[in-house]
Amino acid sequence: MGNISLTIAVLQALRGKWPATALLCLSVLAAPIAAASPLYLSAPEDLAELSLEQLGNILVTTVSKREEKLSSANAAIFVITSEDIRRSGATTLPEVLRMAPNLDVARADTNTYAISARGFNTLTANNMLVLVDGRAVYSILYSGVFWEAQQVMLEDVERIEVISGPSTTLWGANAVNGVINIITRSARDTQGTLVAGGGGNRESGGAVRYGGEAGGAQYRVYGRYTDFNNASRAGGIAIRDSAHTAQAGFRADWGSLQDGFTLQGDYYRSDIDQFPQGREITGANLLGRWQRQLADGSRLRVQGYFDRAERDIPTQYHDVIDTWDFDFQHVLAPGTVHNFIWGGGNRLARDRFTGSPALMFIPGDRALHLSNIFAQDSIALPHNTEITAGVKLEHNSYTGTEFMPNLRLTWRPSPDLTLWTSLSRALRTPSRLDREYSTPAFAGNANYESEITNVIEAGFRSQPMAGFSYSVTAFHNMHDRIRSIESGITRLVLGNGIEGTTTGAGAWGNYQAARNWRLSAGAAWQHLSLQRKAGSLDAGLGVTAAGNDPRHWASLRSLWDITPQFELDVTVRHVGARPSPVVPSYTAADVRLGWHISRALELSLTLRSANEEEHTEWGAPANRAVFERNAFVKLVWRP
């Protein structure tokens, strides 16, 4: 009876204007009920069945390019699991990424997001490397991500590994502030049929996936479609940014994950309303990956992919980028002292840009080459200490060969405690925007150099007792040759005239309050200080354009299995004010109520910004979007 009363109280609160803390308190006050309840399980992958010890034993690959336990990883890494995604109620990848406390995520309109870590967040953020199953999805136009084109089928995501901090030694030049690595499930783990559909006052959509076996392989095919409504400005004025997106794809796996072959591909199309004639985004990709466990215990992986991304904005520009990428890595058999990995690769990206007098790249047709070789060794020392040294040599078409080293020291005094510190040199190499962009008032610079960031980090990860684990990281970044906006003879030009520092810290943790109730929390603080270098003619525009970052953000999440059929999830997140242009701070509470009607059928109701009528996240006051309280009902069928 108490559970029913509590659920009714939550729904009543959502109808009013209770503050976010009141919603969270409902979950907190429910602790005695949860603790006294039996262990409720409705599916094998349920939250209560995955202990914090098991979460710590999740294998991650992004930190060192080889499998290791999350609890032992010597980096600021946060993992979003498939269960986290399901219980978030999120319908798009950027909304899922809000769960990573080491990311700053801001929504500018229905389709556009600014996502970064450790500062420099803009709508064209260019210091985060984003991967989907090993395929880089950033654009060579500005070294950033068009988030509206990344329509991953969330039901097929196994986990998302989010590293904040430099990873350029292993992953290459644009991983200055971190890596977002989206890893989908093997086809053998997605057998059978899945049908999902839902709708609400802001969006609607559906997806279908089927997995089977043929020719000695497991495979899956899928299709998804989503409609997004227009956002609006303050006062209810509609913004023309509605979108209709469709995507289809497949994956096939032969053999095992350690010794086998994977072939996968996707096709997508989005039609987005935009003044005056809208814009169209299409793309396709095909990836093959071969992995082999060799007789001596070492492992070899070879991967290649083709990716086409096309954007068409009538009267402004039409752009087609074709990318061919090949890479390999060899992990030597683990020894008592050394764990060595090396590899290399080559990428060719051809861009065909057709612009207008107001917006162009010169030349319009450009082929960019990127080749690299890297090596890293982890050396075991006495007293459970390990030193890791690595270096990457990367050659690009603009600045030639670049050097990116990394040195890490790790101490594991006990199985439940990992302490680490690191020194890194990270680079962001020039994009086409930096070198070849041209408008009547603004231009790139043919001599634009790579931006340099030297980073000092220290952190620790601990599970001091059963049911409680946490991670803390502090960092100091020293920046040089950051993009400036210089005064030219006839127009503004880009330069490397800004330097400065970023200092900050981040922490997150999990607490198993009861067998069927888990709390998680995270927070980040940062201070960015930039100034003009001697000789620069930047009038302050470059510093302003470098990023619009809050000083802090925090989140608190409660996941509660109420009964074998019902689950209640509450997330409260607070984001501090942004300075230029000024965006007020906000606190939003998202609530999800899930109902397992049967083992094959799941119904959920998600209410976003349930505690407030509207808030803003990005942009100048005159034209920025406001995001209102909204609801989404979803039905998933897994026969």
Side-chain angles (χ1 to χ4, degrees), residues 47-52 55 466-469 510-519 559:
L47 169 72
E49 197 176 13
L50 195 61
S51 66
L52 289 187
L55 287 173
F468 177 51
S469 65
N510 291 284
Y511 174 56
Q512 192 78 42
R515 294 288 301 278
N516 55 343
W517 185 41
R518 179 173 298 159
L519 294 172
L559 304 181

Side-chain angles (χ1 to χ4, degrees), residues 71-305:
S71 59
S72 300
N74 54 2
I77 180 172
F78 183 86
V79 177
I80 302 171
T81 67
S82 58
E83 181 72 352
D84 290 329
I85 295 172
R86 183 185 71 82
R87 298 189 71 154
S88 71
T91 59
T92 65
L93 182 58
E95 291 299 318
V96 167
L97 294 177
R98 291 190 190 273
M99 286 188 286
N102 50 346
L103 286 180
D104 171 28
V105 179
R107 190 176 187 180
D109 61 25
T110 293
N111 309 285
T112 310
Y113 286 80
I115 301 177
S116 189
R118 300 188 178 182
F120 296 98
N121 201 7
T122 71
L123 296 182
T124 55
N126 53 21
N127 283 282
M128 292 292 297
L129 179 65
V130 181
L131 304 162
V132 179
D133 286 328
R135 175 175 56 88
V137 297
Y138 73 87
S139 170
I140 63 171
L141 287 179
Y142 70 99
S143 298
V145 177
F146 289 111
W147 287 104
E148 67 271 33
Q150 311 311 319
Q151 303 294 330
V152 179
M153 184 161 175
L154 298 178
E155 289 81 2
D156 289 344
V157 174
E158 178 180 295
R159 66 185 186 275
I160 301 175
E161 300 177 9
V162 181
I163 293 180
S164 50
S167 300
T168 53
T169 298
L170 292 179
W171 294 103
N174 296 310
V176 177
N177 283 352
V179 176
I180 300 172
N181 192 5
I182 300 143
I183 301 167
T184 66
R185 301 181 188 216
S186 164
R188 65 182 56 86
D189 296 328
T190 52
Q191 295 291 285
T193 302
L194 181 145
V195 180
N201 59 324
R202 302 302 308 162
E203 63 182 278
S204 61
V208 61
R209 178 248 290 155
Y210 177 76
E213 296 187 36
Q218 289 85 28
Y219 70 89
R220 69 167 175 260
V221 293
Y222 78 92
R224 65 187 305 273
Y225 181 81
T226 308
D227 276 335
F228 297 96
N229 298 337
N230 286 316
S232 61
R233 298 185 180 93
I237 303 173
I239 299 174
R240 288 183 55 182
D241 62 356
S242 63
H244 313 283
T245 71
Q247 182 165 319
F250 76 95
R251 172 168 173 161
D253 291 293
W254 289 262
S256 67
L257 292 177
Q258 290 74 34
D259 198 342
F261 179 71
T262 296
L263 182 67
Q264 62 188 86
D266 308 277
Y267 172 82
Y268 62 87
R269 173 176 177 141
S270 294
D271 294 300
I272 300 173
D273 194 10
Q274 175 180 304
F275 180 84
Q277 293 177 292
R279 71 180 186 266
E280 181 181 291
I281 302 170
T282 58
N285 60 79
L286 183 66
L287 178 147
R289 180 171 54 251
W290 175 75
Q291 299 184 97
R292 173 61 56 90
Q293 185 84 31
L294 303 180
D296 62 357
S298 64
R299 297 192 304 276
L300 183 66
R301 194 208 71 170
V302 179
Q303 176 179 283
Y305 68 80

Side-chain angles (χ1 to χ4, degrees), residues 3 16 70 104 144 156 185 203 258 337 366 379 590 593 602 637:
N3 292 336
L70 172 61
D104 171 28
D156 289 344
R185 301 181 188 216
E203 63 182 278
Q258 290 74 34
V337 177
R366 160 70 84 172
I379 306 170
D590 301 334
L593 181 64
E602 177 187 351
W637 179 54

Side-chain angles (χ1 to χ4, degrees), residues 336-547:
T336 57
V337 177
H338 294 273
N339 280 309
F340 188 82
I341 179 174
W342 72 285
N346 185 72
R347 179 179 300 162
L348 170 63
R350 183 186 178 190
D351 182 28
R352 288 160 289 177
F353 189 95
T354 304
S356 63
L359 174 61
M360 64 181 65
F361 285 81
I362 301 175
D365 195 334
R366 160 70 84 172
L368 298 178
H369 296 265
L370 183 71
S371 56
N372 74 87
I373 187 170
F374 73 91
Q376 181 167 286
D377 192 14
S378 295
I379 306 170
L381 302 175
H383 308 296
N384 297 313
T385 305
E386 179 183 85
I387 187 168
T388 301
V391 64
K392 178 185 282 282
L393 296 177
E394 188 172 87
H395 184 88
N396 68 82
S397 298
Y398 287 133
T399 62
T401 301
E402 302 281 11
F403 175 71
M404 289 166 280
N406 171 65
L407 183 66
R408 290 178 182 265
L409 180 64
T410 307
W411 180 38
R412 300 182 179 95
S414 71
D416 300 324
L417 178 61
T418 298
L419 299 94
W420 59 273
T421 186
S422 71
L423 298 173
S424 304
R425 181 178 188 265
L427 299 175
R428 187 189 72 81
T429 54
S431 65
R432 292 207 68 194
L433 184 148
D434 299 312
R435 288 280 185 126
E436 299 163 357
Y437 185 71
S438 179
T439 72
F442 185 82
N445 184 342
N447 297 313
Y448 194 91
E449 300 178 275
S450 296
E451 299 176 4
I452 301 174
T453 299
N454 294 312
V455 182
I456 303 173
E457 291 182 281
F460 65 93
R461 183 175 292 105
S462 176
Q463 186 173 344
M465 63 183 199
F468 177 51
S469 65
Y470 66 99
S471 175
V472 179
T473 305
F475 64 91
H476 181 68
N477 296 358
M478 294 159 282
H479 311 290
D480 192 19
R481 303 200 308 223
I482 301 301
R483 181 192 291 161
S484 59
I485 301 176
E486 307 287 343
S487 299
I489 298 176
T490 60
R491 54 183 175 173
L492 298 174
V493 296
L494 293 179
N496 296 100
I498 293 175
E499 61 184 3
T501 61
T502 306
T503 302
W508 48 87
N510 291 284
Y511 174 56
Q512 192 78 42
R515 294 288 301 278
N516 55 343
W517 185 41
R518 179 173 298 159
L519 294 172
S520 61
W525 170 85
Q526 61 187 17
H527 176 66
L528 180 65
S529 176
L530 298 177
Q531 58 275 337
R532 185 179 62 184
K533 297 177 66 173
S536 172
L537 300 177
D538 188 288
L541 296 176
V543 173
T544 301

